[in-house]
Amino acid sequence: MKKLNGIKLNHRKNTENSATVELPVPAMVRIPMSMHMGAPCTPLVKVGDTVKVGQKIGECDAPFSVPVHSSVSGTVKALTDYRNAMGTVCKAVEIETDGKQEVSEEVKPPVLTDKESFIKAVRESGSCGLGGAGFPTHIKMNPKAEIDTLIINGAECEPYITADYREMIEHPEDVIGGINLVKDMLGIKQAKLAIEGNKPEAIKNFTEMAAKDDTIDIITLPSAYPQGAEKVIIYNSTGRIVNEGTLPADAGVIVMNVSTIAFLYRYSKDGMPLITRRMTVDGNAVGEPQNVLVPIGTSFREVMEFCKTDIDALKKVIAGGPMMGMSVPDIDMPVVKTSNALLAFKSYDERKTSACIRCGRCVNVCPLGLMPAEIDRAYRIKDIDDLKKLKVLLCMNCGSCTYVCPANRKLAETNQLAKALIPRK
């Protein structure tokens, strides 16, 4: 089967052999009430309250939302406004830790008897997509369409990031257990664990583990970016196309990140909600690049200091990978559920933009066959009809077009701005 277009990047997986280490409990955490797609939560605690690990501290009645839990034990010191990197404001709960890490009485393994009880438990776990998008997991698991295939995304195709890889190496039983749990609870017949070819140890381990299970296929994907993008991994794993305006479920598929599936298995056993994140910390300003298990709400500054980062020399900090990550405006921002990496650099190359030379490189590398240069033109004259014809809403913002552009045009950014011009239903 022909694979979709992409680009070859220097993997820079410097921390692939770095076993996960736990960050010491910080003196203070700041936990935002919105760390996922959908409606923000309302704090359930007030200043002066004592909280424990795993206690629910934020809830929302909206279906498209997930609760928020405390990652520490201690005392609520403040309820503040928090502005994330996208400019959205929500409430945050600031907790002064007591160092005891007492576990809340609320933390109990869920009783799973059927699909309904499972989806309810998934929501209560606070789970959202850990690959970066933050889509509420319980919504993804309850589509209207019939699902026959579960795809587990183990590609992790961005440079530097090895957090998912360490999940696969350190907790392979949890990954397989999570796959079987979801298959059984949702009645899905087939699962495909898709892993990029630059992770041979993980591929070997899972191939051996699934050798006697004909319901789980281990798929080796080419090492090309953006192999982990949802539409790309679906096509490259099954040959199915997710059309414009439709969801993966409409193609009979659910895609889940490998760290999400492993978390759900652990939650089914111990009832501990999503309160920590494994993060890759790397970059030329980091003295000790490594993978760190961090309590949610810890400041980026503390994580970087733990990894011996030269804070005074920082010129650029990215939350996530270099292709799709977000520039960090304030290193005292907190780690959230979708934080999978923190990249710190002493310098960065701010290239000057020049006129488009119509070389077509952006078209050649786009996985979905879009025409970024034409989208750029249509956006500048605000031709909405043309933007629709050019299928700009299909753009995943992988950044491949920007990466290869010899004129250094910010095509992926323009695509995102162009999508905002088109009215949505």
Side-chain angles (χ1 to χ4, degrees):
M1 182 175 70
K2 184 180 183 297
K3 305 299 182 185
L4 297 180
N5 290 340
I7 56 178
K8 295 291 185 180
L9 299 172
N10 188 331
H11 295 144
R12 301 184 188 274
K13 304 289 189 179
N14 308 316
T15 59
E16 63 182 353
N17 296 316
S18 300
T20 306
V21 296
E22 288 192 32
L23 183 84
V25 178
M28 176 77 73
V29 296
R30 182 167 49 138
I31 303 178
M33 292 294 100
S34 179
M35 297 182 276
H36 52 270
M37 290 176 64
C41 291
T42 299
L44 299 176
V45 293
K46 61 183 183 300
V47 174
D49 283 356
T50 298
V51 297
K52 295 181 179 180
V53 177
Q55 178 180 332
K56 187 188 293 187
I57 60 172
E59 182 59 286
C60 178
D61 293 334
F64 202 82
S65 183
V66 296
V68 176
H69 304 81
S70 178
S71 59
V72 297
S73 62
T75 304
V76 177
K77 287 298 181 182
L79 301 178
T80 60
D81 289 332
Y82 165 72
R83 185 185 298 276
N84 66 20
M86 297 293 290
T88 303
V89 177
C90 68
K91 288 296 182 183
V93 177
E94 294 187 5
I95 304 170
E96 185 180 83
T97 62
D98 57 19
K100 298 176 183 179
Q101 288 302 86
E102 291 184 80
V103 177
S104 170
E105 295 78 8
E106 298 175 7
V107 177
K108 298 176 182 178
V111 178
L112 305 176
T113 57
D114 53 17
K115 179 179 178 180
E116 184 179 356
S117 65
F118 178 63
I119 291 173
K120 181 180 178 181
V122 170
R123 185 190 184 282
E124 285 300 307
S125 76
S127 176
C128 61
L130 301 182
F135 193 93
T137 307
H138 71 285
I139 298 292
K140 179 177 286 190
M141 289 189 169
N142 195 24
K144 296 178 181 178
E146 183 176 346
I147 305 299
D148 58 45
T149 303
L150 172 68
I151 296 177
I152 307 304
N153 187 346
E156 198 167 46
C157 55
E158 283 230 37
Y160 292 101
I161 308 177
T162 61
D164 284 346
Y165 176 71
R166 293 312 308 177
E167 183 72 64
M168 291 188 282
I169 293 298
E170 295 174 25
H171 304 290
E173 297 86 0
D174 293 350
V175 175
I176 295 296
I179 292 173
N180 285 323
L181 174 67
V182 173
K183 284 200 297 101
D184 292 344
M185 286 293 161
L186 301 187
I188 300 175
K189 297 179 180 180
Q190 193 69 31
K192 298 178 183 292
L193 174 53
I195 308 172
E196 249 194 345
N198 63 348
K199 304 171 180 64
E201 184 178 349
I203 294 170
K204 178 177 179 293
N205 289 348
F206 283 115
T207 299
E208 292 174 355
M209 292 178 71
K212 297 182 180 180
D213 189 342
D214 59 6
T215 69
I216 301 177
D217 294 331
I218 311 302
I219 298 175
T220 300
L221 298 172
S223 294
Y225 177 83
Q227 197 63 256
E230 196 168 56
K231 289 183 176 68
V232 176
I233 203 168
I234 289 172
Y235 181 82
N236 287 350
S237 298
T238 67
R240 301 180 190 180
I241 295 173
V242 179
N243 294 313
E244 183 181 17
T246 66
L247 298 171
D250 296 315
V253 174
I254 288 177
V255 181
M256 295 185 66
N257 173 267
V258 70
S259 291
T260 308
I261 203 87
F263 160 73
L264 289 180
Y265 180 74
R266 290 191 287 269
Y267 177 74
S268 74
K269 297 300 182 182
D270 61 22
M272 182 60 73
L274 184 56
I275 59 169
T276 59
R277 266 314 319 246
R278 179 188 289 103
M279 301 178 66
T280 299
V281 185
D282 204 346
N284 60 22
V286 180
E288 295 181 3
Q290 55 191 311
N291 289 291
V292 188
L293 190 66
V294 182
I296 287 172
T298 306
S299 73
F300 288 156
R301 181 189 297 272
E302 289 199 52
V303 178
M304 290 191 289
E305 287 177 344
F306 178 76
C307 296
K308 303 295 190 294
T309 303
D310 187 349
I311 300 295
D312 293 334
L314 289 177
K315 296 295 184 184
K316 186 81 167 180
V317 177
I318 300 172
M323 297 298 290
M324 295 187 73
M326 296 288 293
S327 182
V328 175
D330 180 2
I331 63 171
D332 289 313
M333 293 177 71
V335 171
V336 295
K337 293 179 181 181
T338 54
S339 300
N340 63 348
L342 198 58
L343 308 180
F345 301 99
K346 295 179 181 179
S347 61
Y348 68 98
D349 186 9
E350 186 66 36
R351 300 177 180 178
K352 292 183 178 181
T353 298
S354 57
C356 175
I357 61 173
R358 317 299 289 177
C359 65
R361 293 183 189 179
C362 55
V363 179
N364 291 336
V365 300
C366 179
L368 301 181
L370 302 182
M371 302 176 68
E374 286 301 300
I375 293 172
D376 180 77
R377 176 197 58 77
Y379 168 72
R380 293 181 187 285
I381 60 175
K382 303 297 184 287
D383 189 335
I384 294 176
D385 288 338
D386 208 14
L387 288 173
K388 290 179 181 178
K389 292 177 183 178
L390 291 166
K391 304 292 184 182
V392 67
L393 291 179
L394 280 174
C395 175
M396 306 173 295
N397 288 99
C398 67
S400 297
C401 52
T402 300
Y403 183 81
V404 301
C405 179
N408 302 315
R409 301 184 70 79
K410 297 179 179 179
L411 297 169
E413 292 182 18
T414 301
N415 287 0
Q416 189 70 1
L417 293 170
K419 287 191 285 186
L421 291 181
I422 299 178
R424 306 289 185 96
K425 293 183 180 180

